[in-house]
Amino acid sequence: MKTDEIKMDVNIAGERISLSVPFSRQEAVRKTEGEMNALYRAFGEAFPKKTPKELLAMVAYKFAASYFDMQEARDADLQEALALLDEADRLCVSGATDGADAHDKYPLY
């Protein structure tokens, strides 16, 4: 399957990066670029004695920490959803067998 990719140049803290991204992701790439540069500037103002390399490391850490926080939250949500599905399945199975008429089309009603 062929996807339409475009070449993009982004500038993060004065460093140019060339990327090939799906056409549909270009807006997300620009938003990421803007957010990273805004954070870089904010860290630069808050920590004026830090080197550009240190500031970039701080930005990278912040984005990585946010990624892993979201991944943990997604995993917790998935576990909760699976537990709810198991409970719904258990209720449907027990509801269909606990005194329900075997010929009833909708045993839970």
Side-chain angles (χ1 to χ4, degrees), residues 4 21-28:
D4 292 326
V21 298
F23 184 81
S24 62
R25 298 285 303 151
Q26 63 183 320
E27 188 174 325

Side-chain angles (χ1 to χ4, degrees), residues 36-54:
M36 291 185 77
N37 283 317
L39 189 56
Y40 179 83
R41 284 190 301 277
F43 281 154
E45 291 172 8
F47 304 99
K49 293 185 179 184
K50 297 285 185 187
T51 66
K53 187 176 178 179
E54 289 173 312

